[in-house]
Amino acid sequence: MSDVRHVLVLPDRDAAEEVALALGERFGVAEEPLLVRDALAGEDDAEDAQWLVVVEDPEARLGAEDLDAFVADWDGWREAP
């Protein structure tokens, strides 16, 4: 077993919440992903925040290419490790 963590970056909270729900349906992710607000440097306005969806993948079964294509549907991307 390895400690693999995927970080998906989304443009807003709604997209992040949708992705978190859809991960379970699409990939069978059992553990609920962590949602984190990521304020852009120097910005205090909530409108200028990106949202991160942190997915634990202890069995390393989620493919990077599959996640890239999946999150692109919400104008997001996967942070490379």
Side-chain angles (χ1 to χ4, degrees), residues 12-40:
D12 57 48
R13 183 180 185 143
D14 289 342
E17 289 174 345
E18 288 177 24
V19 164
L21 286 174
L23 278 165
E25 297 169 7
R26 171 87 180 271
F27 297 103
V29 173
E31 187 175 327
E32 186 172 336
L34 176 65
L35 299 180
V36 180
R37 181 180 178 268
D38 183 32
L40 300 177

Side-chain angles (χ1 to χ4, degrees), residues 4-73:
V4 176
R5 177 178 292 144
H6 303 282
V7 178
L8 309 177
V9 182
L10 285 303
D12 57 48
R13 183 180 185 143
D14 289 342
E17 289 174 345
E18 288 177 24
V19 164
L21 286 174
L23 278 165
E25 297 169 7
R26 171 87 180 271
F27 297 103
V29 173
E31 187 175 327
E32 186 172 336
L34 176 65
L35 299 180
V36 180
R37 181 180 178 268
D38 183 32
L40 300 177
E43 300 294 337
D44 293 327
D45 187 354
E47 295 299 317
D48 293 321
Q50 295 175 330
W51 283 79
L52 308 178
V53 177
V54 181
V55 184
E56 298 295 335
D57 186 15
E59 297 172 7
R61 58 183 195 84
L62 300 174
E65 290 179 6
D66 292 334
L67 286 172
D68 288 340
F70 171 74
V71 76
D73 289 343

